[in-house]
Amino acid sequence: MSKGHLLEKFVQSVLGFLTLLTLFILVVILGAVFWKGAPAIDWEFLTQASTDFGTSGGILYQTAGTLLLMTGAVAVSLPVAFGTALFQTEYLKSDRLKRFFRNLFYSLNGMPTILFGLVGYMVFGVYLEAGVSWLSGTLILAVMILPTLQVSFQQAVEALPEKYRDAGLALGLSPGAMVCSVIIPQSLFGIITGVLLGLARAAGETAAIMFTATTFSGILLPSSWTDPVPTLQTHILVLAQEALNPQAVAHAWGAGLVLLSLAFILIAGAFFCRSRMHMESER
């Protein structure tokens, strides 16, 4: 057996080992969350308000607050992301500018979330005088998930076969009519994928929310634009600090399992839509 073949086998073995190690770590983490969190999950835990600083009661308002921030962020970010994706794919002709914008969005996606929270608080909370509120949290989350949505939308549009555009041109469609009649309908699964991935990322953010959107206890759902909002993320953070209180730790694991389940549902939906989008682009 040649040295080249031995080296190839060695590299394959190392890569296989690293893959199995990563899978093992993932299974351990998911198993620990399920094992610790499942005993705390019941109907009362999901439908009651928390009391005694979260050590008793449920997570009703924390779950509702998290969903409120997620949906608000997507609603704000969706038109901006889709508009920039259409501009880059349908109207921008310079390859250099396309690479510049693509790298810009990738860089924004890799920025530490703590910086988003700090800048978001200074801009939305201080200069725009929104304070620590669900509005500030929604706006900063919208900025954070913008790259995820934009990249997904752009990939969906670029994956469309040229026959769709050729058919639209043959019918004499204007650029605007092409977008409305051809691009959007045929990219629908990609759009849904981007939305679900954006929701999943918004569900996992903590640092930015701590700076801009929530306080740690004593709040229900907001009644105005400037009210804070309870979230599962900060609820888990507060309860996890009560290590000497078994009830608080159990509730923290239960809230973590709910948050994890929410993120996995969104990611599973995104994978399903992504597979449908690939099927559409391969017709």
Side-chain angles (χ1 to χ4, degrees):
M1 186 177 294
S2 64
K3 292 183 178 180
H5 188 67
L6 288 175
L7 179 60
E8 181 180 356
K9 288 292 185 181
F10 174 75
V11 171
Q12 289 179 352
S13 300
V14 172
L15 294 178
F17 171 76
L18 294 176
T19 301
L20 292 176
L21 179 62
T22 303
L23 180 62
F24 173 75
I25 294 174
L26 178 62
V27 171
V28 169
I29 294 175
L30 296 181
V33 174
F34 183 82
W35 181 264
K36 295 286 189 177
I41 303 297
D42 55 28
W43 181 249
E44 288 75 16
F45 183 74
L46 297 176
T47 58
Q48 290 183 356
S50 62
T51 57
D52 296 333
F53 298 98
T55 57
S56 60
I59 55 171
L60 174 63
Y61 292 111
Q62 286 78 10
T63 304
T66 301
L67 293 174
L68 177 63
L69 286 179
M70 291 164 53
T71 54
V74 169
V76 172
S77 186
L78 178 60
V80 179
F82 194 62
T84 55
L86 287 178
F87 175 74
Q88 292 185 58
T89 56
E90 303 301 314
Y91 298 99
L92 189 61
K93 304 302 181 183
S94 173
D95 292 334
R96 181 176 298 179
L97 286 177
K98 288 183 178 180
R99 287 194 300 270
F100 170 76
F101 283 116
R102 183 178 290 109
N103 293 333
L104 180 64
F105 279 105
Y106 285 152
S107 300
L108 184 63
N109 200 31
M111 186 177 297
T113 58
I114 192 71
L115 297 181
F116 276 107
L118 181 60
V119 174
Y121 174 74
M122 294 299 297
V123 174
F124 301 121
V126 177
Y127 291 109
L128 298 182
E129 299 182 352
V132 177
S133 63
W134 77 274
L135 177 61
S136 297
T138 295
L139 293 176
I140 194 60
L141 278 180
V143 176
M144 295 179 66
I145 67 176
L146 178 62
T148 302
L149 268 65
Q150 195 276 339
V151 170
S152 180
F153 295 166
Q154 184 173 347
Q155 290 178 349
V157 175
E158 290 177 343
L160 289 179
E162 286 298 322
K163 63 181 181 180
Y164 291 111
R165 293 181 175 84
D166 294 340
L169 293 175
L171 294 173
L173 296 180
S174 64
M178 177 81 74
V179 169
C180 295
S181 302
V182 178
I183 302 299
I184 294 179
Q186 299 301 330
S187 303
L188 184 60
F189 286 111
I191 296 173
I192 297 175
T193 298
V195 169
L196 293 176
L197 290 176
L199 287 170
R201 182 180 178 185
E205 297 298 340
T206 303
I209 293 175
M210 290 172 53
F211 274 96
T212 60
T214 189
T215 57
F216 292 109
S217 63
I219 56 174
L220 302 179
L221 292 180
S223 58
S224 68
W225 294 99
T226 57
D227 286 343
V229 62
T231 62
L232 287 170
Q233 295 92 325
T234 51
H235 188 66
I236 295 170
L237 177 63
V238 172
L239 293 179
Q241 295 174 352
E242 302 292 334
L244 298 180
N245 188 333
Q247 188 69 17
V249 174
H251 278 219
W253 282 109
L257 179 58
V258 172
L259 184 61
L260 182 65
S261 300
L262 179 62
F264 263 77
I265 290 172
L266 294 170
I267 293 173
F271 277 124
F272 171 77
C273 293
R274 174 68 71 179
S275 64
R276 292 292 300 272
M277 187 198 72
H278 283 313
M279 291 173 61
E280 180 68 25
S281 66
E282 293 170 0
R283 289 183 182 179

